[in-house]
Amino acid sequence: IISSSTISKPLAILTARHASHVQAAVICAKIHSIQLRIRSGGHDYEGLSYISDIPFVILDLFNLRSIKINITSETAWVQAGATTGELYYKIAEKSKVHGFPSGVCTTLGIGGHFTGGGYGNMIRKYGLSIDNVIDACLIDVNGTIHNRKSMGEDVFWAIRGGGGTSFGVILSWKIKLVHVPRKVTVFKVQRTLDQGATDIAYSWQHIAPKLPKHLFIRLQPEPITIGNGNKTIRVSFIGQFLGRSRKLMNLMNEEFPELRLQQNDCIEMSWVESTLFWAGFTNGTSIDVLLNRVVENKVFFKTKSDYYKSVIPKQGLVMLWEMLMDIGNIFVQLNPHGGRMDEISETETAVHQRGGYLFKVQYTVYWSESDGGIGAAKRYVEMSRRLYGAMAQYASSDPREAFLNYRDLDIGCNESNDTDFGVAEVYGTKYFNNNFMRLACVKAMVDPENFFKNEQSIPPLPSSH
């Protein structure tokens, strides 16, 4: 946690309105040896897109937000500063049977979201966002504009999941729209410990990654206080089925009867309306809220992540519940893999975590100024690290892997103006596993002097390797 008094302010914030503005920013920053931090939406868990300890300039792409939908070819060009909510809205304007697999939060900037993979609730049907990207527009270290053909397949591979700000400035992406039914079904079923939540959560680990592709069920445990002042755990099972509720009920009764899903738990709606459900809006909210770019109810938080290749035993779940109740201000999300993710090679894009992974976990502690300012920050971050340490025995290992879009400097980082390859290999292997070395090779090709860098960027592969 950095004290606000130690954070250096940018020399300037450049809000580009045209590709030429981005080209000029890159060339000028390079000439004057000023670090460039590239921002598209602001959902940057460690602030690397707008904080540095040396003189720097922020290149903010939020004005580059054009979205051009072509239903005939089932494609779209989306600029980096557009949000996921804006993309969903624009698709829905053109079609009731098309969508795009992307994040649940509707204020995510497309630029950063895609470069980290782009994780969402259609992952089991259609994979990550980057699995549905077919072209991109990139400005390199020399200010040259490239498309997929001119940048080459190695660079196109790297920017899909490898963290695009290591390789240049991505202006826009060409995506392939996916098919969705006119009606999808969502549900949120909650069970407390007294209602058998531990047994159901244990079963979920075996079942959720093996369900048919068109069904995604997130598991979300959180501590609550019940009437007598005691704490317990309430586990939410939040689902989306790409189909009607009657088929879902038949499927759940056959595959996951332990949850005891009822017909009145199911809500049928259009796909675009389901994006509001996942973002936490009440049923019936106008889809116009997808155009809101400002995050409401801001809190301070620290997030860590894990991938799991084997189930957490019941005693591990009990330990997790106890730690959540001890921390208090925390929520945890377990998101299943399987389906389409099992069919994509670990080398297809920079995202390595494909087949063999059961689920990904996000642990998020949060606090407000009323909890005690810097003191609260240190306390909650320490509790977050303690929880992370306790779960190590069950998570992936050698390396213990992490998700780039849940950026976490605890797993290793360089100084603002330094990129030690040995240090980078530590965090790089955790994010990208065996794909890290190929990313470093691509970096050496396109940015050998390491102009584009941050505390967790990809370094150029040294000639000694």
Side-chain angles (χ1 to χ4, degrees), residues 72-226:
T72 303
S73 63
E74 299 186 308
T75 61
W77 271 102
V78 188
Q79 286 191 312
T83 64
T84 47
E86 289 171 332
L87 175 59
Y88 302 154
Y89 185 93
K90 293 292 186 181
I91 294 173
E93 276 189 325
K94 300 284 188 179
S95 170
K96 305 301 181 190
V97 292
H98 288 87
F100 191 73
S102 220
V104 162
C105 186
T106 58
T107 54
L108 293 164
I110 291 293
H113 185 54
F114 283 12
T115 60
Y119 195 100
N121 52 34
M122 290 202 290
I123 183 174
R124 306 191 65 256
K125 177 68 174 177
Y126 291 116
L128 300 166
S129 298
I130 52 168
D131 298 322
N132 302 278
V133 166
I134 53 180
D135 204 344
C137 179
L138 170 90
I139 292 180
D140 70 11
V141 70
N142 300 311
T144 306
I145 299 179
H146 294 280
N147 60 15
R148 177 176 181 172
K149 184 176 181 181
S150 65
M151 77 176 74
E153 287 302 304
D154 284 331
V155 179
F156 186 63
W157 173 87
I159 63 175
R160 287 177 295 146
T165 54
S166 291
F167 305 98
V169 183
I170 298 163
L171 294 180
S172 57
W173 304 85
K174 187 178 185 181
I175 61 174
K176 185 72 175 173
L177 303 180
V178 303
H179 291 193
V180 295
R182 290 189 177 273
K183 291 290 183 182
V184 304
T185 305
V186 297
F187 62 84
K188 183 176 183 178
V189 174
Q190 297 181 319
R191 300 282 184 256
T192 62
L193 298 185
D194 288 346
Q195 295 169 326
T198 302
D199 288 341
I200 303 171
Y202 181 72
S203 296
W204 173 93
Q205 297 179 87
H206 295 85
I207 296 167
K210 297 179 182 178
L211 289 168
K213 292 180 184 179
H214 43 298
L215 177 56
F216 173 92
I217 304 176
R218 166 182 286 176
L219 189 153
Q220 184 169 305
E222 55 191 333
I224 61 170
T225 302
I226 49 181

Side-chain angles (χ1 to χ4, degrees), residues 56 62 86 101 132 218 232 239 315 324 339 416 423 435:
F56 74 107
F62 76 95
E86 289 171 332
N132 302 278
R218 166 182 286 176
T232 188
Q315 66 266 28
L324 297 191
S416 291
V423 173
N435 288 333

